Amino acid sequence: MPENHEDWGFSTRALHVGQGPDPETGAVVQPIHMATTYAQQGVGRHKGFEYSRTGNPTRNALEECLAALEGAKHCLAFASGLGAETTLMLLLNPGDHVVYMEDVYGGTFRLFDKVLKRFGMEFSAIDASDLDVVERSMTSRTRMLWLESPTNPLLRVVDIDAVSEIAHSHGAMVCVDNTFATPYLQQPLHLGADVVVHSATKYIGGHSDVVGGAVMTNRDDLEKQLRFHQNAVGAVPSPFDCWLLLRGVKTLALRVERQSENAMAIANSLARHSAVKRVYYPGFETNAQRAVAAKQMRMFGGMVSFEVADEATALRTLERLKIFALAESLGAVESLAEHPARMTHASIPAAERARAGVGDGLIRLSVGVEDVGDLIADLERALS
Ligand code: P1T
C-alpha cells in the first residue's frame, strides 16, 4: 500500500488502498484467499496469519480500504451490518444505558429491544434532531448515543457535531450508522463520532449481491476490544464476500453521485404530484434539517421517502411499479421500492412506529443509477 494515501482523493483511495498489484504475480486485482489456516514455521512463527476467523489477507485488504474511505485509523469487517452492530454492542455491560434515534432501521430496534435488553442493557428512543432532547436523555449510566443520519426511513438528519459534544460532556460515546450517507457523502468520525457502523450490504457493495458489515474508529482502545470481539464472537465475512465488497466499493463515488442526482430529481417530481402528501428528502426545502444536511454531507444521497393517502394506495402503487423492484434493502445500482410499515420496520410495534412518524401510507425508494426520466415515468404511472 502506498504511504501517502491520506493525500489522495476518495476514488483513488477506493481503487488503490489495501490493493494494488500482487507482489508475487503482478495481478492488479486482489486475490481471494480461501485458506482457513496457515502453515507455521515453528509454533507461533508465521507470516501474520494463523486461522481465517482471526485474520485473512482478503479481509485485511477490505478493512484497510474501508478505513481509508471513512478517514478512520481502524476498520473491522463483519458478515452483515447486524453482525457488526451486535459485536459493537457487546462492548457494553448489563446496566449500561443507550440512547438512540427513534427512527432507526427496524432490525437495529429489534436487536436492542428483543435481544440486548435480555442481557440487562437499557435503551431510550429519542428525537436526536432536537438538541435539548439529547441533553435531557443523558443519565449517569448512559454509555452510548446511537444515531442514524439520514435516518431509515424518514431521512431525518442529526447534527453529528453538536450531539457528539453533548454526549461526550456526559461521558458517552457516539456511534453513527453511516449506511444511508456512505463515507463518500459524510464522514462522522471527522464530525466528532467515536464509532461508525455500516451495513456494507447497501452502498458499499452496491450491486445487491453481498451481505456485509463494518465498524470504523480512530480510538485505539475501542479497536483493541473490537478486534478481540471480532475473533471471539466470530461474525466474520467470507473471503469471497470481502472480495465482492472490494470490487463494489471501487465505484462508490460514481454510483452515489448519480444516485443523489436522480433522487433529487425524483423528490422534486413527487412533490409536484397531486397523489403525494409529503416528500422526505434531506436536500428538500421542507426538510427541517436541510441546513445541517448541507453542512455535513457532500450531496443528499439516493434515498427518498414519500407519503400517499393510506396503506391501500401505498401497496397498490408499489405493485404497479415496473422498473423499481418491490424489495427490501437499498443502495444498489438498480432502483428498489418498499413499504416500511409492513416490510423493513414491521418489527417495531405499531404504536412506536406511529410515534416515530412511520405511517402506513409511507413508501421508501432506493434510487438507482438508471436513466432518471424512466424512473420518474415509472412512478407517475404507478401513482396515476
Ligand atoms: O442487513 P444487514 O447488512 O445486517 O444491515 C442491517 C442494517 C443496518 N443499518 C441500516 C441503516 C440498515 O438499513 C440495515 C439494513 N436495512 C435494510 C435491509 C433495509 O431495507 O432497510
Side-chain angles (χ1 to χ4, degrees):
M1 186 196 42
E3 280 160 24
N4 59 342
H5 73 270
E6 288 83 7
D7 303 332
W8 286 354
F10 186 91
S11 286
T12 312
R13 279 179 273 152
L15 281 148
H16 297 292
V17 176
Q19 307 162 72
D22 179 40
E24 278 180 26
T25 63
V28 296
V29 172
Q30 182 69 25
I32 307 174
H33 289 273
M34 293 302 287
T36 55
T37 192
Y38 298 83
Q40 307 196 5
Q41 284 75 55
V43 174
R45 278 196 294 122
H46 52 75
K47 297 183 174 172
F49 298 97
E50 291 169 67
Y51 183 60
S52 259
R53 168 164 39 73
T54 319
N56 171 281
T58 317
R59 191 170 91 215
N60 277 11
L62 174 67
E63 290 179 342
E64 263 185 58
C65 181
L66 294 184
L69 295 185
E70 196 67 65
K73 202 164 157 193
H74 311 287
C75 169
L76 299 96
F78 294 92
S80 67
L82 277 169
E85 293 184 24
T86 305
T87 308
L88 171 63
M89 295 310 284
L90 292 177
L91 299 184
L92 304 189
N93 291 308
D96 285 348
H97 177 231
V98 176
V99 172
Y100 69 98
M101 178 69 177
E102 60 194 352
D103 165 27
V104 290
Y105 170 54
T108 300
F109 169 83
R110 185 177 53 201
L111 171 67
F112 292 173
D113 191 60
K114 296 279 187 300
V115 182
L116 298 176
K117 269 187 184 171
R118 287 200 289 118
F119 296 91
M121 295 177 202
E122 288 173 26
F123 295 87
S124 304
I126 61 154
D127 175 4
S129 63
D130 183 333
L131 299 182
D132 291 336
V133 171
V134 177
E135 178 70 53
R136 283 200 305 273
S137 68
M138 296 282 145
T139 73
S140 57
R141 287 179 299 102
T142 308
R143 288 275 319 278
M144 182 186 278
L145 173 63
W146 180 286
L147 307 172
E148 283 179 18
S149 184
T151 60
N152 182 0
L154 291 173
L155 305 167
R156 283 151 74 186
V157 171
V158 178
D159 187 332
I160 298 170
D161 192 13
V163 297
S164 296
E165 213 175 298
I166 297 172
H168 289 156
S169 73
H170 291 272
M173 71 172 118
V174 176
C175 171
V176 178
D177 182 333
N178 205 27
T179 300
F180 270 39
T182 82
Y184 181 59
L185 299 183
Q186 171 176 283
Q187 301 192 330
L189 298 178
H190 291 157
L191 299 166
D194 300 275
V195 187
V196 163
V197 174
H198 278 279
S199 169
T201 316
K202 311 298 177 336
Y203 288 97
I204 288 176
H207 294 75
S208 301
D209 56 10
V210 56
V211 173
V215 175
M216 291 83 156
T217 185
N218 283 329
R219 282 179 50 179
D220 296 339
D221 60 329
L222 291 181
E223 192 265 344
K224 199 163 166 234
Q225 295 175 63
L226 285 164
R227 193 66 70 190
F228 173 79
H229 278 95
Q230 183 191 40
N231 182 46
V233 176
V236 292
S238 78
F240 183 55
D241 288 353
C242 293
W243 185 87
L244 280 172
L245 290 168
L246 271 172
R247 186 172 71 157
V249 85
K250 289 178 209 261
T251 54
L252 181 63
L254 289 172
R255 287 185 277 111
V256 172
E257 278 183 16
R258 173 68 170 256
Q259 285 159 326
S260 297
E261 284 165 13
N262 282 358
M264 180 65 101
I266 286 172
N268 280 320
S269 143
L270 287 170
R272 288 192 296 269
H273 200 288
S274 57
V276 174
K277 284 168 59 186
R278 185 165 174 190
V279 178
Y280 301 89
Y281 188 62
F284 216 59
E285 290 76 39
T286 50
N287 190 314
Q289 292 98 22
R290 189 189 184 283
V292 177
K295 181 180 75 170
Q296 67 191 21
M297 296 176 75
R298 194 197 289 253
M299 295 172 85
F300 297 111
M303 300 299 293
V304 180
S305 295
F306 65 99
E307 263 167 42
V308 290
D310 49 31
E311 181 175 87
T313 313
L315 299 184
R316 193 179 61 240
T317 305
L318 285 164
E319 284 164 21
R320 295 183 70 191
L321 288 164
K322 287 203 158 68
I323 298 174
F324 283 87
L326 170 52
E328 303 207 3
S329 203
L330 58 118
V333 283
E334 61 278 341
S335 293
L336 307 176
E338 65 112 14
H339 188 253
R342 289 264 204 116
M343 296 169 72
T344 50
H345 292 67
S347 56
I348 304 178
E352 286 191 46
R353 243 187 359 245
R355 201 168 38 247
V358 180
D360 293 340
L362 188 74
I363 292 176
R364 189 190 75 182
L365 304 177
S366 168
V367 178
V369 301
E370 296 95 339
D371 296 283
V372 71
D374 295 331
L375 296 177
I376 290 173
D378 196 29
L379 285 163
E380 280 178 356
R381 210 191 32 76
L383 283 164
S384 65

